[in-house]
Amino acid sequence: LLSGGEQHVSSGGMVNSTVISEGGLQFVANGGIVDGATIFNSGTQEVSSGGTISGTTISSGGTVIVNNGGVTSDTTINAGGQQTVSSGGLAEDTTINSVGKQEVLSGGSANITEINGGTQNVSGFATSTTINSGGIQNIHSGGSAANTTISNGAQNVCDGGFVSNTSVLDEGIQNILSGGSASGTTLSGGTINLSSGGKLTDVSADGGMLNIYGDNSIGGNTVLNNNAVVNISPSANMTTLGMQHLSADNATFNMNVDLVAQTADKLQISD
């Protein structure tokens, strides 16, 4: 499908191995099935309620739009390609390669996504995401993510975003920004950066590093084992860190002391 060309696939229709570029459009409606499309250079594929697309490859300049009730699976997003999942849309088994992008809008869902150097922006819901080398997952206001594994990339929990049951492995980074919330993070050799105004509850660290920026508290149960390190970043005013239900075995706290001013960081532990 080239410039100005359109293809509409509806009930009973099935199309395989379409190439869409230069302004071409493929629209998949209720009951339509499309498999193995290749989209690039201003080509667009759009799926609406009851439509199904699978095996799509999106390259530079290509766009896939998943509307309410539409389903896409086994999609590969390469450099310069983009998939947008609108409210009520579902994207499953997606691979986002370097410089590729997936936008999960409010009410949209992404399940089982692998990020290999690309970016996933979530204002809806994402589950079972794996973030590999160079990959970035941004959880924006109103967005949430569950059961994410950060292998060698970064998860940014922005103001109004929420994540649960994240596993941060070696080289992985979880950034909890002001107004962002994380619950149930498991740290295994990676890093958590907790900004002032961010919220972290029920963290378990088996090694790895937890960096604290500004006054904060960690709620729920905190478990620190196997050379886990907590660093309190230096600040103009000394920092107070609160922890509930702390259990620590062979863990290290690095805190700041000003001998001249006779002030120091504070660690407050409560049951």
Side-chain angles (χ1 to χ4, degrees):
L1 297 174
L2 300 178
S3 181
E6 292 189 10
Q7 182 180 59
H8 292 250
V9 185
S10 57
S11 182
M14 180 179 292
V15 177
N16 294 314
S17 304
T18 308
V19 176
I20 309 169
S21 67
E22 299 179 13
L25 170 65
Q26 182 183 64
F27 186 81
V28 186
N30 185 33
I33 299 173
V34 172
D35 182 61
T38 300
I39 307 167
F40 61 99
N41 192 20
S42 299
T44 302
Q45 183 184 59
E46 188 169 352
V47 57
S48 63
S49 181
T52 302
I53 58 178
S54 63
T56 298
T57 299
I58 313 168
S59 296
S60 182
T63 302
V64 170
I65 301 170
V66 187
N67 292 319
N68 182 30
V71 177
T72 179
S73 63
D74 297 315
T75 302
T76 300
I77 308 171
N78 294 322
Q82 179 170 316
Q83 180 187 65
T84 299
V85 185
S86 302
S87 180
L90 172 64
E92 294 190 303
D93 296 303
T94 304
T95 300
I96 310 171
N97 292 324
S98 181
V99 202
K101 184 185 292 185
Q102 182 187 58
E103 300 279 347
V104 184
L105 305 182
S106 178
S109 299
N111 183 36
I112 312 176
T113 305
E114 184 172 335
I115 309 174
N116 301 319
T119 301
Q120 182 187 56
N121 292 314
V122 181
S123 298
F125 180 65
T127 185
S128 301
T129 302
T130 300
I131 308 172
N132 295 319
S133 181
I136 298 174
Q137 182 187 57
N138 298 313
I139 311 300
H140 296 287
S141 179
S144 62
N147 304 320
T148 303
T149 299
I150 311 172
S151 177
N152 190 358
Q155 179 187 64
N156 299 314
V157 189
C158 304
D159 185 14
F162 174 75
V163 299
S164 61
N165 301 326
T166 303
S167 296
V168 187
L169 308 181
D170 286 342
E171 309 295 331
I173 300 172
Q174 182 184 60
N175 296 312
I176 307 169
L177 306 179
S178 179
S181 299
S183 177
T185 298
T186 300
L187 185 62
S188 301
T191 301
I192 299 174
N193 295 314
L194 178 62
S195 297
S196 178
K199 184 177 181 181
L200 176 63
T201 59
D202 293 318
V203 60
S204 177
D206 185 23
M209 187 176 298
L210 175 57
N211 297 317
I212 308 297
Y213 298 91
D215 290 343
N216 220 313
S217 62
I218 300 176
N221 296 308
T222 302
V223 179
L224 305 173
N225 294 322
N226 194 24
N227 295 309
V229 177
V230 178
N231 296 314
I232 298 181
S233 179
S235 62
N237 299 313
M238 291 298 171
T239 297
T240 298
L241 173 63
M243 286 186 167
Q244 290 182 319
H245 309 296
L246 173 63
S247 173
D249 182 9
N250 196 21
T252 300
F253 286 80
N254 293 319
M255 305 173 70
N256 303 287
V257 176
D258 187 335
L259 296 178
V260 174
Q262 297 185 1
T263 58
D265 292 332
K266 297 178 182 179
L267 177 63
Q268 297 178 339
I269 302 172
S270 60
D271 293 330

